[in-house]
Amino acid sequence: MRFTPRYLVNDDSDPFANCKVSVKEYLEYQSRAQQAATQAVQTAASNYADSLTGAPTASQPDEAMEQPSAAYPLECLIYLQNLPDNTNKTELKSLLDVYLEGDKVDYVDWKKGQISAYVRVVRPAHARMIIEGLDNNGTKGSLKAQLLKGEQEEIYWMKLPDKIRMAALQAQS
């Protein structure tokens, strides 16, 4: 038989009176604890990302906070359609590098068998040069290029790991 020592018991009728917590109080406590933990993680992640990009943090002056920084390079993403079946990444890069006048395509996001690809470039001007070059080239008429902006661009970049987005931002600056 178990017993509670007399010095721990305040009331002889209910030895566990001090230990009782209602289910509602327990759930409220758990909810508050989870919200606090989530907020702490988000704040830490935001501060870490800001330190990598050089974005101002809350400890820096308010004037610097007014300048928003993007989480990815804006207007540096091209969507290619109607790719030939026998193509590969090297061919795509060499085809597109021709329009960049000495610069190079950053990355071609394509897998064998796909008829479309995403092309990442370092500068928005590079993206425009590639699109204009493909539009003016009569021999590659079936190949269509589109500059992604706004929500489409954001969806693509948010699927990539932070490490890749940060590297693309650093290459742009």
Side-chain angles (χ1 to χ4, degrees):
M1 181 169 187
R2 295 185 178 190
F3 68 93
T4 304
R6 187 57 117 181
Y7 63 90
L8 292 178
V9 178
N10 290 338
D11 183 12
D12 290 333
S13 63
D14 190 2
F16 300 103
N18 292 337
C19 300
K20 288 185 179 176
V21 176
S22 72
V23 173
K24 181 180 177 184
E25 290 173 333
Y26 176 75
L27 292 176
E28 287 174 354
Y29 168 78
Q30 288 294 332
S31 175
R32 285 192 307 270
Q34 186 176 10
Q35 288 173 353
T38 302
Q39 184 178 7
V41 167
Q42 288 173 346
T43 302
S46 173
N47 288 343
Y48 177 72
D50 289 347
S51 70
L52 291 177
T53 61
T57 59
S59 63
Q60 294 175 339
D62 289 337
E63 296 126 12
M65 292 295 289
E66 292 174 6
Q67 302 170 356
S69 65
Y72 53 88
L74 298 173
E75 298 183 13
C76 292
L77 185 63
I78 302 168
Y79 181 65
L80 292 177
Q81 294 175 306
N82 301 334
L83 297 174
D85 293 335
N86 59 352
T87 192
N88 60 42
K89 283 186 182 185
T90 307
E91 283 182 6
L92 288 173
K93 280 185 116 173
S94 62
L95 170 73
L96 300 175
D97 285 345
V98 170
Y99 302 113
L100 294 181
E101 301 169 1
D103 289 324
K104 296 195 178 272
V105 168
D106 190 31
Y107 185 76
V108 176
D109 193 351
W110 174 83
K111 291 181 183 162
K112 187 174 182 176
Q114 292 181 336
I115 59 169
S116 62
Y118 292 94
V119 177
R120 298 193 311 242
V121 293
V122 177
R123 306 226 181 279
H126 293 167
R128 287 189 289 276
M129 290 166 61
I130 289 173
I131 291 172
E132 289 172 8
L134 288 174
D135 287 345
N136 294 335
N137 189 351
T139 61
K140 304 290 183 196
S142 64
L143 190 64
K144 295 181 183 177
Q146 174 187 358
L147 179 65
L148 294 185
K149 295 181 183 180
E151 188 176 342
Q152 292 176 329
E153 183 180 30
E154 182 178 3
I155 290 170
Y156 172 84
W157 283 105
M158 291 305 142
K159 288 181 182 178
L160 296 179
D162 290 339
K163 181 179 178 181
I164 293 173
R165 284 187 298 204
M166 296 307 149
L169 280 171
Q170 288 177 351
Q172 190 178 32
S173 58

